[in-house]
Every structure is written in structure tokens, then in C-alpha cells.
Amino acid sequence: MHKVRLNNGTMIPAIGFGVFLIPDDGTCEKAVGCALETGYRFIDTAAAYMNEAGVGRAVRASGLPREEIYITSKLWLQDYGYDAAKKGIENSLRNLGLDYIDLYLLHQPYFDTAGAWKALEEAVDEGLIKSIGVSNHTVGFLEKLMPWMNILPAVNQMECNPLFQQKELRKYLKPHDIRMQAWYPLGHGSSALMQNEVLKGIAEKYGKTVSQIILRWHVEEGIIPVPKSVSVQHIRENYDIFDFSLDENDLQAVRSLDTGRGSHNPDDMSYGEKLLKAYRIHD
């Protein structure tokens, strides 16, 4: 498994397997089991995905040593604030059935992120979490939270793909050595991305699929992609990206596709209330 180093000295696999929208009815467990069998060693879940338990069952069923599997989960908005976050961390550990979580993120940038971050930092000190980070945090949200941090985020997981490359945010993260992770690295199957003629041409050149070219581009840009699928074929295909490299002309061709537009704008402050209403993970 190819790995990259985070700013706290720990190592993380260069590609992850995401489980967003995969139901915890056996489907999640089956998909994660297939991913681990394929070679993935980084599984990305979240409290709000409501499938942490399925991920935990798949990890135990795999027979792989715990230290070989990198587990990420995320604290949901309902559990923001110091006291609530302490309980949220406990709930994630209990749902996963694990003694520790490799990486734990603030899932969204709204409400009491400072109190929640303090709880995450204490969980690191207690050995419950190895690394901490954020998700969906734009430059403005990061600058607001930074003064409250004793530990810098190891990662910022954001929407990122060749049509939305987060160039300004990545420029901001670089001097802090905060690694970008990508959700929707394949654009959620967007035809504008998957049928892009430039990407199709590059894929033909290397004898790869468009998805493989996109994921390889992420890796070569230093971004950790977290693709999701329940298809055995796609799970295996998405992992098969380490036997080739894109030349500089092709990297530049992909870079030229950036539109600067994603599926939503985290800086819209009304989004926090909408998310809180849409995802209620407990009473």
C-alpha cells in the first residue's frame, strides 16, 4: 500500500475507500470487505453516515491486524461543543467497536467548532485518536478556528476533482503542511467529468479508464482521493492506479480543466442549519 506522511509524522494510505450513502444493512459491510480484500487499507466513514458499525464489523471480519487498517470517522454537528464532542467521540468508538480511531474530523465548519476541536485534541492526548483534521473548511473557516488550535489539522477533506481543483485552498494549506483529501473525487459520476474528451483521450493513451486517470491525477497532485462504490468491478478498478504515472503534459492538461465551481458552497452560513435538520443521528 502506497502511503504519504501527515504533518504529525504519521503515515496514511494514498487512497481511501468511502462509504457515504452506503446503508448499514449488510451492504456497507460487504463493500468494505471487498475493498479490504482488493488492497485498500484506508476506510472513511462518519457518524452522520450511520454505518460506522458496519465498517467495524467488516474490519473485524477481514482478519487483518488492526494496525494495518486506517480508519477515519467524523464528528457530526449535533455533537459540536466540548461536552457533546466528548460523547460523540465515545459513540464513534463504540459504534466502530475499536479502541482507537486513526483519523477523526470535524465534519462541517459550523457552530461551536472551537469547543469540538478542544475535545478532539484531548482525545489525541488520551490515545483515543491518532490524528485529527477537518472537513469542508474553507480558508475563512480555517482562519477562524486556527487561533483555538494547539494541534493543527492533519487533513482537510473537501470536494475536489479535475473540474473543481480547490487551487486557492490548496495554496493556503501547503505552508501548514495540511494534506488535502478529496470527497467526490470522481464528481459523483458526473457526465461532465466522466465523459470529458480530454480525460477520455488521456485514458486511451494509458490503457486506463477515465476514473483511473482522475484518481491517479489526485495522487500525483498530493491529494488523497476517497472514492466510493458498491460495485466490485469499480472498487477494484479504482484501486488499480499504482502501475503507471501521468507525464507532465497530461498533468497540465488535467489542471486546465478546473472550473472553480463545486456542488455547493460551504461559506453559505445557512447550510449548517440545513444539514442539522437533514441529518439527525440521535435524539
Side-chain angles (χ1 to χ4, degrees):
M1 164 56 70
H2 297 253
K3 295 183 178 182
V4 296
R5 187 177 298 277
L6 298 179
N7 60 13
N8 62 357
T10 61
M11 303 297 290
I12 184 173
I15 185 171
F17 179 75
V19 297
F20 178 53
L21 295 180
I22 303 182
D24 194 14
D25 59 0
T27 308
C28 180
E29 188 173 347
K30 182 178 179 180
V32 173
C34 177
L36 292 172
E37 183 181 341
T38 297
Y40 290 88
R41 291 296 180 265
F42 167 19
I43 308 299
D44 179 275
T45 184
Y49 297 173
M50 304 295 284
N51 56 18
E52 288 174 315
V55 169
R57 288 193 298 271
V59 167
R60 290 187 292 277
S62 72
L64 293 165
R66 170 66 183 94
E67 61 272 16
E68 290 186 12
I69 304 177
Y70 196 99
I71 300 295
T72 295
S73 195
K74 310 176 191 74
L75 186 73
W76 188 235
L77 290 168
Q78 273 184 277
D79 294 324
Y80 277 23
Y82 175 75
D83 291 331
K86 298 282 277 189
K87 294 178 182 176
I89 294 165
E90 291 175 2
N91 287 336
S92 285
L93 286 163
R94 186 181 306 111
N95 290 335
L96 288 161
L98 300 176
D99 295 327
Y100 69 90
I101 300 171
D102 296 277
L103 175 65
Y104 204 65
L105 310 180
L106 295 186
H107 202 155
Q108 298 291 342
Y110 314 108
F111 311 126
D112 186 6
T113 55
W117 189 257
K118 181 181 177 182
L120 265 62
E121 290 182 332
E122 288 187 3
V124 172
D125 292 338
E126 295 164 3
L128 300 176
I129 298 170
K130 301 296 185 183
S131 302
I132 53 178
V134 296
S135 180
N136 298 302
H137 278 58
T138 60
V139 171
F141 285 118
L142 284 167
E143 290 188 332
K144 180 181 176 182
L145 187 56
M146 286 278 194
W148 299 94
M149 291 179 168
N150 293 313
I151 301 174
L152 283 178
V155 306
N156 186 8
Q157 188 179 112
M158 297 290 293
E159 179 180 13
C160 184
N161 60 65
L163 299 183
F164 184 41
Q165 297 180 23
Q166 298 278 13
K167 290 179 179 177
E168 290 304 312
L169 178 57
R170 286 161 58 197
K171 188 183 299 183
Y172 177 85
L173 298 178
K174 188 171 183 179
H176 300 290
D177 197 19
I178 299 172
R179 182 76 63 164
M180 173 79 81
Q181 287 184 342
W183 59 262
Y184 279 5
L186 300 175
H188 204 47
S190 161
S191 59
L193 184 61
M194 305 308 292
Q195 298 300 320
N196 182 276
E197 291 300 325
V198 171
L199 294 173
K200 288 167 68 175
I202 296 173
E204 183 176 354
K205 172 182 173 180
Y206 290 90
K208 292 288 185 176
T209 66
V210 169
S211 294
Q212 289 169 325
I213 295 301
I214 292 170
L215 295 172
R216 183 67 204 184
W217 171 81
H218 280 85
V219 169
E220 296 198 25
E221 291 286 91
I223 303 166
I224 303 168
V226 186
K228 162 249 176 176
S229 181
V230 295
S231 159
V232 173
Q233 176 185 342
H234 290 154
I235 289 171
R236 292 174 177 169
E237 175 186 302
N238 291 343
Y239 184 74
D240 186 21
I241 61 170
F242 295 105
D243 60 349
F244 74 106
S245 297
L246 300 172
D247 66 33
E248 185 59 29
N249 288 337
D250 293 325
L251 288 171
Q252 290 290 356
V254 179
R255 290 171 188 146
S256 72
L257 300 177
D258 188 28
T259 67
R261 296 189 300 274
S263 64
H264 81 287
N265 176 19
D267 286 323
D268 178 357
M269 294 301 294
S270 68
Y271 203 61
E273 291 291 348
K274 293 174 184 175
L275 285 170
L276 196 54
K277 291 178 181 177
Y279 295 91
R280 303 293 296 182
I281 65 173
H282 54 70
D283 295 331

